[in-house]
């Protein structure tokens, strides 16, 4: 999902993971889609993001869909809540951190990832910041300290615990690093007041915190894994089987929109997003658009790479949260509908229809 310097990170993993197995399985038993339009297009219900434009909303505006029409069902509160809504047939598709997707599938939810939705590229990433005067210089300095995150068990925790592990801390030492859940808007203030010792910041919150001065990043997700796709769009398996043409159209159109974002100058992207937000009539403002930097997706067209899911399977196995051999990444996703999956990366179409050369 698109954001402004950093795509949205999940905020309520526990709620998603609490989805009962029986409910998750029942979600795959029958189709309860939203139907079709008068001209025969399949309606795809979705949850959006206030003040932001997702890649699929951009695709609709660019005219990249031919067989589907989007229907907004409100805004989501988090990635896990979004994919839970998809699994329980409130909407047709959702997006979340890949670790959350893996956990949901391991709990019995019949969903498949079809396209990458957010990540870290050269410009957009999450940093984990400390005060310049904190004396914190290494992972070992965080033992017994507090890190402010937006939720437990999701992106911020996965990245933090992986970094601590890579820096040589033992499991016992890692457990002494306390993760404190805070509303993202309050995280910088808590850090400056000494209520926490480090803070996960991304997007506008990262930009404004750095502008205030006195902070620096101790580690970032980009430093840990490089430019990497962290989340995916998922559909229920029954819906994918019964409406394959609709899913294929969604994926090809959204993939083209992602590529458009990857090759189009920033000022044109911001102008297009501004117009979309103003025209859709959801009583939003466009203030956050000034912080837009990039799509956050480094892979052309959002093609899913096996390692982007396998790394979280391995993480869960290592931490005793998933039995070894339970899941294989290759069984959790498909790229068959993505026109960029063959490696040729055809040109994207610009906002006025002109060809934009793929990089």
């Amino acid at each position: 999902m698109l954001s402004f310097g950093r795509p949205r990170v999940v905020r309520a993993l526990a709620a998603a993971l609490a989805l009962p197995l029986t409910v998750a399985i029942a979600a795959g038993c029958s189709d309860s889609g939203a139907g079709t339009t008068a001209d025969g297009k399949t309606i795809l219900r979705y949850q959006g993001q206030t003040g932001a434009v997702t890649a699929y909303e951009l695709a609709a505006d660019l005219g990249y869909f031919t067989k589907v029409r989007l229907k907004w069902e409100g805004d989501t509160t988090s990635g896990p809540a979004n994919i839970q809504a998809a699994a329980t047939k409130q909407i047709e598709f959702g997006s979340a951190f890949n670790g959350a997707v893996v956990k949901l599938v391991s709990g019995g939810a019949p969903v498949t990832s079809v396209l990458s939705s957010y990540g870290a590229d050269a410009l957009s990433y999450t940093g984990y910041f400390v005060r310049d005067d904190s004396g914190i210089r290494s992972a070992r300095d965080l033992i017994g300290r507090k890190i402010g995150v937006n939720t437990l068990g999701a992106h911020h925790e996965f990245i933090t615990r992986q970094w601590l592990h890579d820096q040589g801390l033992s499991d016992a030492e890692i457990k002494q690093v306390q993760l404190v859940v805070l509303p993202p808007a309050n995280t910088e203030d808590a850090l400056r007041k000494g209520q926490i010792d480090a803070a996960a910041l991304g997007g506008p919150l990262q930009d404004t915190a750095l502008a205030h001065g006195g902070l620096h990043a101790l580690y970032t997700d980009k430093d840990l894994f490089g430019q990497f796709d962290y989340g995916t769009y998922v559909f229920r398996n029954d819906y994918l089987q019964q409406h394959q043409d609709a899913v294929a159209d969604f994926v090809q159109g959204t993939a083209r929109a992602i590529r458009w974002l990857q090759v189009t100058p920033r000022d044109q992207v911001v102008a297009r997003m501004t117009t979309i937000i103003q025209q859709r009539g959801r009583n939003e403002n466009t203030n956050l658009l000034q912080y837009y930097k990039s799509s956050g997706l480094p892979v052309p067209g959002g093609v899913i790479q096996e390692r982007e899911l396998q790394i979280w399977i391995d993480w869960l196995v290592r931490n005793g949260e998933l039995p070894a051999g339970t899941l294989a990444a290759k069984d959790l996703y498909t790229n068959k509908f993505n026109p960029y999956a063959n490696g040729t990366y055809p040109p994207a179409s610009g906002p006025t229809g002109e060809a934009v050369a793929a990089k």
Side-chain angles (χ1 to χ4, degrees), residues 44 59 65 68 113-115 233 235 245-258 301-302 334-340:
L44 297 180
F65 296 139
V68 301
S113 295
V114 297
L115 183 70
Y233 294 111
F235 278 84
D245 287 348
V247 176
D249 192 46
F250 170 86
V251 173
Q252 68 80 28
T254 305
R256 290 168 63 196
I258 289 171
T334 179
N335 281 318
K336 71 177 182 178
F337 304 122
N338 194 322
Y340 298 88

Side-chain angles (χ1 to χ4, degrees), residues 315-340:
W315 193 96
L316 291 166
V317 170
R318 189 183 76 228
N319 284 274
E321 299 181 47
L322 184 68
T326 303
L327 296 177
K330 63 182 178 62
D331 299 324
L332 273 61
Y333 76 97
T334 179
N335 281 318
K336 71 177 182 178
F337 304 122
N338 194 322
Y340 298 88

Side-chain angles (χ1 to χ4, degrees), residues 97-308:
F97 169 57
N98 283 331
V101 173
V102 170
K103 294 269 292 197
L104 199 64
V105 172
S106 70
V111 299
T112 296
S113 295
V114 297
L115 183 70
S116 290
S117 58
Y118 82 90
D121 61 17
L123 298 175
S124 304
Y125 54 88
T126 290
Y128 299 77
F129 291 84
V130 296
R131 298 189 309 277
D132 292 345
D133 62 359
S134 68
I136 298 174
R137 298 289 181 267
S138 69
R140 192 156 295 279
D141 293 331
L142 288 174
I143 296 175
R145 305 287 189 102
K146 299 176 181 178
I147 302 177
V149 299
N150 64 347
T151 191
L152 297 178
H155 186 115
H156 291 174
E157 180 173 354
F158 274 61
I159 294 298
T160 295
R161 297 205 181 284
Q162 182 66 46
W163 182 74
L164 294 172
H165 173 81
D166 291 349
Q167 295 297 305
L169 269 64
S170 67
D171 289 344
E173 290 171 330
I174 291 174
K175 290 179 181 178
Q176 295 178 55
V177 180
Q178 183 179 352
L179 300 181
V180 178
V181 177
L182 293 170
N186 298 339
T187 305
E188 179 193 349
D189 186 57
L191 177 63
R192 294 188 183 278
K193 289 180 177 178
Q195 296 168 343
I196 55 175
D197 303 289
L201 297 169
L205 298 178
Q206 181 185 122
D207 293 333
T208 54
L210 290 176
H212 294 155
L215 305 179
H216 66 274
L218 185 63
Y219 57 102
T220 72
D221 53 11
K222 185 180 67 171
D223 292 340
L224 192 61
F225 294 114
Q227 298 186 44
F228 199 77
D229 289 346
Y230 283 105
T232 47
Y233 294 111
V234 302
F235 278 84
R236 298 186 307 277
N237 293 342
D238 68 318
Y239 192 88
L240 197 158
Q241 293 164 2
Q242 297 170 22
H243 301 279
Q244 189 167 130
D245 287 348
V247 176
D249 192 46
F250 170 86
V251 173
Q252 68 80 28
T254 305
R256 290 168 63 196
I258 289 171
R259 192 64 185 143
W260 184 90
L261 289 166
Q262 293 170 329
V263 300
T264 302
R266 177 189 177 280
D267 60 341
Q268 295 181 37
V269 173
V270 172
R272 189 85 185 202
M273 289 182 171
T274 300
T275 299
I276 292 172
I277 290 175
Q278 291 173 340
Q279 291 181 345
R280 65 191 183 190
R282 299 182 192 169
N283 193 29
E284 305 163 274
N285 65 56
T286 59
N287 291 342
L288 292 181
L289 292 178
Q290 65 183 300
Y291 297 104
Y292 178 85
K293 294 179 181 177
S294 65
S295 71
L297 287 163
V299 181
V303 175
I304 301 171
Q305 299 181 88
E306 186 170 321
R307 68 190 183 103
E308 295 162 355

Side-chain angles (χ1 to χ4, degrees), residues 29-110:
C29 295
S30 63
D31 175 35
S32 61
T36 59
T37 62
D39 57 358
K41 293 182 179 180
T42 301
I43 297 172
L44 297 180
R45 298 169 298 171
Y46 75 96
Q47 294 173 338
Q49 296 172 251
T50 184
V53 177
T54 62
Y56 48 85
E57 289 173 319
L58 176 64
D61 189 70
L62 289 168
Y64 287 168
F65 296 139
T66 60
K67 298 180 180 179
V68 301
R69 181 169 297 173
L70 302 177
K71 184 176 185 292
W72 179 64
E73 295 289 339
D75 291 323
T76 186
T77 57
S78 72
N82 195 214
I83 60 175
Q84 179 179 351
T88 54
K89 301 186 179 180
Q90 300 171 61
I91 53 177
E92 271 60 73
F93 65 90
S95 164
F97 169 57
N98 283 331
V101 173
V102 170
K103 294 269 292 197
L104 199 64
V105 172
S106 70

